[in-house]
Amino acid sequence: MRAASGNMDPNSKRFLYRVNKEENRKELKHVKIDESSIIASDSGNKSKKNKKNGNKMELPKKKYYRQRAHSNPFSDHQLEYPSCPEDMDWSKLYPAFKDEHTGEMTKEVTIADIGCGFGGLMIDLSPAFPEQLILGMEIRVQVTNYVEDRIIALRSNHAKEQTYQNINVLRGNAMKFLPNFFHKAQLSKMFFCFPDPHFKQRKHKARIVTNTLLSEYAYVLKEGGIIYTITDVEDLHNWMVKHLDEHPLFERLSKEWEENDKCVNIMTNATEEGKKVARKQGDKFVACFKRLPNPEII
Ligand SMILES: C[S@@+](CC[C@H](N)C(=O)[O-])C[C@H]1O[C@@H](n2cnc3c(N)ncnc32)[C@H](O)[C@@H]1O
C-alpha cells in the first residue's frame, strides 16, 4: 500500500493507522453519508474498526499525518485537475447536494479556503453557511488526507442531523489551477489564513498573494465578493495589503466592517494556526478586500 506507507516501517503503528484510514477513506469519501449508510456500514467490519465510543467514528489523530511543514508551490506535484470547471465532478465531494432525479448538483462552491491546512476554518464556517458549498484547497498530501478523514468522521457522527455535508477538501496547488476548478465570478468569499510567510526576499515570489495571482483571484470572485486575509507575520500582512491596495479590482474594507462581519470573527479564532498564535499570545493582522466591478472599456 504505497500511498499510505512511503518509506515507512510496515509494522509501525503509523503505517497501520494510515492503511486503515486509507481503506476507510476509499469506502466513504464519495458516498452520501446518512443514517441509512451508517446502519449499512455498521454491519460490515471495516468501519467498525474506526469506531469507538459506541456509534461514534473516531476523529483522525494529527500525529499520524505528519509531513514536512512546507511544500514547494513551483514543483510538479502530479496533481489531478479538470481541464475546465465543467469537467469537474463536484457530486463526489458533496454527494448530499446532488439531485437524485436529474443527477445535477443543486449548488456550486462559493466559498474557498486557500491553503486550508487541517480544516478548522471550514468546520466552523459549515454551520454558519449551511446553504453554501465550502471548499478547502491544500497542497500537502497527508494534510489533505487528514481533512478528508476529519470530514468523513464528522459526517458519520452527525448523520442524523446531516451536517458537514457542505464542506470538503481538494488536494491542489491554488497558485496554478484555480481557473480549472472555478468559472468566472463563481466565488463569493476567498480565505487566506496564515499563509506560508516565505520570509527570505528571494522566496517572496512563492507568496500566495502576488499581482498576477490577484488577477486570477479577481477572475474567480464575483463583484462584491470578499478576500479575507489574516496572518501573524506583520511583514507578510503589509505585503498582502500593498499588493491588494495596488490592484485595480480590489478595495480595502474598513475596520468597522471587519468588526461586524461574522467571518472575520470565525477566521480569527477557528484555524489551527490561529489557535497556535493565540496560545503564544501573538498578534493577528487582518485585512479584507472587496472585489470591485470591472471598469468599462471605452
Ligand atoms: C501555515 S499553513 C495555514 C493553514 C490554515 N490556513 C490555518 O490557518 O491553520 C499554510 C497552508 O497552506 C498550504 N499551501 C501552501 N501553498 C499552497 C498552495 N499553493 N496551494 C494550496 N495550499 C498551499 C500549506 O501546505 C499549509 O498547509
Side-chain angles (χ1 to χ4, degrees):
M1 178 127 344
R2 175 124 186 91
S5 67
N7 296 324
M8 252 185 281
D9 169 4
N11 295 316
S12 69
K13 217 170 157 189
R14 189 196 288 185
F15 178 89
L16 296 171
Y17 184 92
R18 284 191 182 181
V19 169
N20 181 21
K21 281 293 184 194
E22 192 163 311
E23 276 177 35
N24 194 50
R25 211 162 39 243
K26 272 192 193 142
E27 192 184 328
L28 295 175
K29 190 168 151 173
H30 297 315
V31 301
K32 182 176 170 187
I33 300 178
D34 55 19
E35 280 190 291
S36 60
S37 58
I38 293 297
I39 292 160
S41 68
D42 271 354
S43 55
N45 291 331
K46 273 188 208 157
S47 301
K48 266 192 173 168
K49 274 193 279 181
N50 294 291
K51 293 195 174 196
K52 280 190 179 167
N53 313 324
N55 247 354
K56 295 279 179 212
M57 187 183 285
E58 206 184 349
L59 286 165
K61 293 193 170 74
K62 260 195 217 161
K63 64 178 178 181
Y64 294 118
Y65 298 80
R66 298 245 179 269
Q67 74 171 102
R68 282 178 51 195
H70 298 291
S71 186
N72 179 355
F74 300 121
S75 321
D76 176 12
H77 291 96
Q78 296 186 313
L79 297 165
E80 280 178 29
Y81 56 92
S83 57
C84 60
E86 293 69 37
D87 284 355
M88 178 69 196
D89 183 2
W90 293 106
S91 69
K92 285 184 162 175
L93 273 73
Y94 308 96
F97 289 83
K98 180 179 175 175
D99 185 311
E100 280 168 19
H101 300 293
T102 64
E104 299 290 319
M105 288 294 287
T106 57
K107 303 259 177 212
E108 60 180 15
V109 173
T110 50
I111 301 178
D113 181 9
I114 304 299
C116 68
F118 292 96
L121 177 71
M122 286 196 290
I123 283 157
D124 280 19
L125 286 177
S126 175
F129 296 94
E131 292 304 317
Q132 307 222 25
L133 299 190
I134 304 169
L135 181 79
M137 195 169 268
E138 172 54 53
I139 202 167
R140 287 185 292 165
V141 186
Q142 287 306 327
V143 178
T144 311
N145 288 346
Y146 172 89
V147 181
E148 284 183 343
D149 291 343
R150 195 174 180 186
I151 291 171
I152 288 169
L154 286 169
R155 285 182 179 174
S156 298
N157 296 343
H158 297 270
K160 199 169 173 192
E161 310 89 82
Q162 282 281 286
T163 46
Y164 302 106
Q165 303 285 339
N166 63 332
I167 54 173
N168 219 326
V169 64
L170 261 185
R171 180 167 182 241
N173 183 348
M175 291 168 73
K176 284 189 178 171
F177 303 118
L178 279 190
N180 293 73
F181 289 99
F182 305 123
H183 60 73
K184 186 176 173 187
Q186 179 171 338
L187 300 179
S188 60
K189 299 179 197 301
M190 293 180 81
F191 289 88
F192 295 86
C193 298
F194 302 93
D196 291 335
H198 299 290
F199 287 106
K200 291 181 189 147
Q201 190 148 10
R202 67 185 169 81
K203 297 264 177 156
H204 283 177
K205 59 180 183 300
R207 286 181 167 173
I208 200 108
V209 167
T210 62
N211 292 338
T212 321
L213 287 170
L214 282 177
S215 295
E216 241 174 68
Y217 304 154
Y219 172 81
V220 294
L221 263 181
K222 66 178 189 182
E223 275 180 25
I226 311 287
I227 281 195
Y228 291 84
T229 73
I230 184 167
T231 174
D232 55 328
V233 178
E234 193 168 10
D235 172 57
L236 177 63
H237 169 71
N238 293 337
W239 165 283
M240 293 195 286
V241 168
K242 176 178 179 295
H243 284 78
L244 278 150
D245 265 340
E246 283 172 2
H247 198 287
L249 291 177
F250 291 103
E251 180 180 85
R252 187 157 185 190
L253 291 155
S254 65
K255 284 286 153 205
E256 194 188 355
W257 182 93
E258 286 174 12
E259 278 158 20
N260 291 312
D261 183 74
K262 68 176 171 183
C263 292
V264 172
N265 185 27
I266 294 174
M267 85 167 170
T268 306
N269 301 302
T271 83
E272 283 69 16
E273 281 300 318
K275 286 180 181 153
K276 232 191 260 176
V277 174
R279 281 197 295 277
K280 292 182 184 165
Q281 299 184 329
D283 292 322
K284 294 179 189 175
F285 303 94
V286 170
C288 301
F289 285 77
K290 185 171 75 174
R291 164 69 158 91
L292 296 171
N294 291 337
E296 255 181 69
I297 300 169
I298 310 164

